[in-house]
Amino acid sequence: MEILDVIFYIFCIVVAIQVIFYFFIFSRLAFFKPQTKAYNNLPVSVIICAKNEAENLKTFLPSIISQDYSTFEIVLINDASSDDTFEVMEQFAETNKNIKLVNVENYETFWGNKKFALTLGIKAAKYEHLLFTDADCKPISNHWISEMASHFVSNKSLVLGYGKYAYKEKSFLNKLIRFETLITAINYFSFAKIGLPYMGVGRNLAYTKTEFFKANGFINHMKLKSGDDDLFVNQVATKSNTSICLTPNSFTQSVPKSTFKAWFRQKRRHVSTAKHYKKLHKALLGFIYITQILFWALSMLLLALLFKWQIVVPLILLRLIGQYIIFGNSAKTLNEKGLTALTPILEIFLIVVQLTIFINNLISKPNYWK
């Protein structure tokens, strides 16, 4: 058998694998119909950990304070900021009785460790049900708490929400950031739907104090500077205790990075936690990424050589059509616009960026959370 025949058969297998993933796994999000659950009015502690976020708190904290919810407190954690973050928190606390302040100073053992600060905030929280977001986030609506809390039903102690990034016109970087966020969401929401929840995002995440302390908090990965959201979810999430909340009023929106360098630095930190996921989750995510690389590399090679192009072209179209259907419907579900048409370009660019990040993280480890 000629080498090109082997490459062709590998290409066919890769296409088949990708189509299976799209229509049997990722379709769980693409065709998911979010339904608003009955509000349960459970008391909720909203927790925000901030480090040098004075200006963002001034801009976004009012959208948390104005939430239409009967009983909630806001726990503001100042993680050893060097700006006026704590002073801004104090100003808000003076006029809002439901704000509780936790001022964390640097300790030698936990220097610059967000998880230590979060642990103190969780311990200080009054209520059993905890809802997390970031200082640079704002809820899409004033029913955010209601929507997320409504998923604490039966035995559900962990709720995965969607944290989107603000849209910016005529910005390729903005499209790339939102596309990467969409891809990540398609993965973790779809796997949660098939009973394999493996991550969540701290911009919009809820769980109970009981779940946190049952797992001994972040103790299993306290030494890692990142992973307070995804590693914790990876550790405790199960098919039975996890719910997803995808109603539009439950979304949060964050400020995206404005430079490629800043975003690349942020993604290096995020990617560095993936190697600490459970083996099954790492294997699945790695398998998906490898098939993406193989699809584009083998497609280009076979087309360049015009080898069995009569078969190769329809297979490429089959995969691309499947991708457009799944990504297009997922983008509608998550209210992301302007991404579907550029999917192939954004996917190729993202593959290259992720490979570059992987190589960089092998050479040197990111050592920061801000």
Side-chain angles (χ1 to χ4, degrees):
M1 184 180 292
E2 298 290 336
I3 185 65
L4 282 179
D5 287 310
V6 174
I7 292 174
F8 171 75
Y9 289 125
I10 293 174
F11 170 74
C12 293
I13 293 171
V14 166
V15 171
I17 291 170
Q18 291 240 303
V19 170
I20 289 171
F21 266 101
Y22 283 133
F23 286 103
F24 289 93
I25 296 180
F26 300 148
S27 61
R28 301 301 183 98
L29 174 63
F31 302 111
F32 179 67
K33 301 299 181 184
Q35 294 181 343
T36 300
K37 294 182 178 289
Y39 294 160
N40 50 29
N41 293 318
L42 292 169
V44 171
S45 293
V46 177
I47 297 182
I48 302 172
C49 187
K51 187 177 184 70
N52 300 327
E53 297 278 13
E55 294 306 313
N56 279 328
L57 285 171
K58 293 176 185 177
T59 302
F60 299 112
L61 188 54
S63 64
I64 307 292
I65 294 171
S66 63
Q67 285 290 297
D68 183 12
Y69 198 71
S70 58
T71 306
F72 73 101
E73 67 170 354
I74 303 172
V75 181
L76 298 178
I77 310 164
N78 174 43
D79 185 15
S81 298
S82 58
D83 67 355
D84 296 331
T85 291
F86 190 62
E87 287 74 13
V88 172
M89 290 179 174
E90 288 181 314
Q91 291 171 9
F92 277 106
E94 288 177 1
T95 55
N96 296 275
K97 295 181 179 180
N98 66 333
I99 290 181
K100 180 180 293 183
L101 303 183
V102 178
N103 191 26
V104 181
E105 297 180 355
N106 271 323
Y107 292 90
E108 184 175 352
T109 306
F110 301 106
W111 187 271
N113 194 319
K114 181 184 179 182
K115 294 171 187 173
F116 174 64
L118 271 173
T119 300
L120 296 182
I122 290 170
K123 288 182 176 180
K126 183 193 305 184
Y127 302 124
E128 163 71 2
H129 297 88
L130 313 174
L131 178 54
F132 298 82
T133 191
D134 291 339
D136 64 347
C137 290
K138 69 174 182 179
I140 296 297
S141 82
N142 65 350
H143 296 293
W144 169 60
I145 299 178
S146 300
E147 297 284 351
M148 290 292 288
S150 69
H151 284 259
F152 282 121
V153 293
S154 186
N155 58 343
K156 304 300 183 185
S157 57
L158 178 66
V159 184
L160 308 180
Y162 183 57
K164 62 186 298 180
Y165 283 101
Y167 171 80
K168 184 178 180 181
E169 289 187 357
K170 299 179 181 178
S171 169
F172 181 78
L173 175 61
N174 180 262
K175 285 183 171 59
L176 184 63
I177 290 173
R178 292 189 300 112
F179 181 76
E180 190 272 335
T181 303
L182 174 63
I183 295 294
T184 302
I186 290 172
N187 285 345
Y188 75 80
F189 284 128
S190 296
F191 277 108
K193 287 293 293 179
I194 65 170
L196 287 174
Y198 71 89
M199 71 159 283
V201 293
R203 303 186 301 276
N204 198 2
L205 176 66
Y207 50 81
T208 62
K209 288 184 77 170
T210 298
E211 195 70 66
F212 180 78
F213 289 114
K214 184 172 69 175
N216 292 318
F218 306 120
I219 193 65
N220 290 343
H221 44 87
M222 181 64 84
K223 293 182 179 179
L224 300 173
K225 294 296 177 72
S226 57
D228 56 275
D229 47 8
D230 59 341
L231 285 183
F232 180 75
V233 172
N234 193 262
Q235 175 187 349
V236 306
T238 65
K239 179 180 180 179
S240 60
N241 73 357
T242 304
S243 179
I244 66 173
C245 184
L246 292 177
T247 51
N249 284 339
S250 71
F251 298 165
T252 61
Q253 180 174 282
S254 303
V255 178
K257 298 298 183 184
S258 57
T259 66
F260 183 83
K261 181 178 179 180
W263 177 69
F264 187 85
R265 186 172 184 261
Q266 181 189 54
K267 296 316 299 177
R268 280 196 64 194
R269 174 170 56 84
H270 292 168
V271 170
S272 69
T273 65
K275 66 180 181 180
H276 300 284
Y277 287 0
K278 293 175 182 177
K279 291 181 180 179
L280 175 60
H281 302 151
K282 286 193 294 184
L284 285 170
L285 293 173
F287 187 62
I288 292 170
Y289 182 65
I290 289 171
T291 59
Q292 285 180 312
I293 293 177
L294 287 175
F295 170 77
W296 287 109
L298 299 181
S299 294
M300 293 175 186
L301 176 62
L302 292 171
L303 285 178
L305 299 174
L306 294 177
F307 186 80
K308 296 188 177 180
W309 65 269
Q310 301 94 331
I311 302 175
V312 170
V313 170
L315 287 177
I316 292 174
L317 290 175
L318 173 65
R319 191 267 194 182
L320 291 179
I321 291 170
Q323 185 182 47
Y324 271 110
I325 292 172
I326 299 303
F327 283 20
N329 280 280
S330 298
K332 289 180 181 178
T333 299
L334 300 176
N335 196 23
E336 296 287 0
K337 60 181 180 178
L339 298 177
T340 307
L342 295 175
T343 292
I345 297 172
L346 292 169
E347 182 186 17
I348 293 171
F349 201 91
L350 188 59
I351 288 172
V352 174
V353 170
Q354 290 171 331
L355 185 60
T356 305
I357 288 173
F358 177 75
I359 294 171
N360 272 268
N361 283 358
L362 287 178
I363 298 171
S364 63
K365 297 179 180 179
N367 194 33
Y368 41 76
W369 84 263
K370 284 293 290 182

